[in-house]
Amino acid sequence: MEETRDILVLQASYTNAVHAEAICYVLNGYAEDPMGGGQPLPPEVLLHLPEELAKRPHAFSVLAFVNGEPAGLVNCFEGFSTFACRPLVNVHDVVVMKPFRGLGLSQKMLQKVEDIARQRGCCKITLEVLEGNAIAQASYTRFGFAPGMFDPAHGRMLFWTKPL
């Protein structure tokens, strides 16, 4: 007999203590995973993350709970498309804790992100994914994301970073 699972997906409130703790717990779980770097987040990051996110009016997070336990997280930031002259949502982190993988949580959380993006009048949702993360790529493809198209006239779009 299959176990009944109570799945709750919601937009987090950074000032809600349960949500703040869940954000830190799940994000730290991702940081400790090999795909997240294999190291826990520094205690000062975990201490201040929810309050710092709350200071950013264009930040929002989606949480998934399974039977009351924090199980997944998507952190997002609203940006702006100059070509469309409309806002966009950039998905910064997508995490499903190992014990809860295979329950479709990423799809449920991405649907909540899409609902919020549509409410905000956004023209698109963007994200980055590690080249070797085939499981995440398959999940994003299933949800309707497509990798950047290769245009020989303009070349492939790459994300570059300059640490400050």
Side-chain angles (χ1 to χ4, degrees), residues 2-113:
E2 195 172 305
E3 171 186 344
T4 303
R5 298 184 192 269
D6 178 32
I7 297 173
L8 174 65
V9 175
L10 53 80
Q11 182 174 350
S13 168
Y14 297 129
T15 58
N16 177 307
V18 172
H19 295 183
E21 183 179 334
I23 288 166
C24 291
Y25 174 77
V26 176
L27 191 63
N28 193 59
Y30 175 55
E32 291 176 337
D33 188 89
M35 283 292 175
Q39 297 291 321
L41 294 172
E44 61 272 9
V45 169
L46 296 172
L47 181 64
H48 297 291
L49 182 62
E51 72 186 67
E52 289 299 321
L53 286 169
K55 291 177 185 176
R56 282 140 185 86
H58 297 297
F60 69 91
S61 299
V62 171
L63 283 166
F65 292 88
V66 175
N67 296 334
E69 290 184 58
L73 170 69
V74 180
N75 286 319
C76 301
F77 298 90
E78 186 179 301
F80 189 78
S81 169
T82 54
F83 280 24
C85 193
R86 289 177 50 204
L88 61 85
V89 168
N90 178 258
V91 173
H92 191 67
D93 303 298
V94 178
V95 187
V96 176
M97 300 294 284
K98 194 172 257 176
F100 304 104
R101 292 178 185 163
L103 300 177
L105 295 182
S106 67
Q107 301 295 295
K108 289 174 173 52
M109 291 187 299
L110 287 170
Q111 185 59 59
K112 184 69 171 175
V113 169

Side-chain angles (χ1 to χ4, degrees), residues 108 110-120 125:
K108 289 174 173 52
L110 287 170
Q111 185 59 59
K112 184 69 171 175
V113 169
E114 181 178 319
D115 294 346
I116 294 166
R118 288 183 184 281
Q119 289 169 0
R120 292 178 176 214
I125 303 170

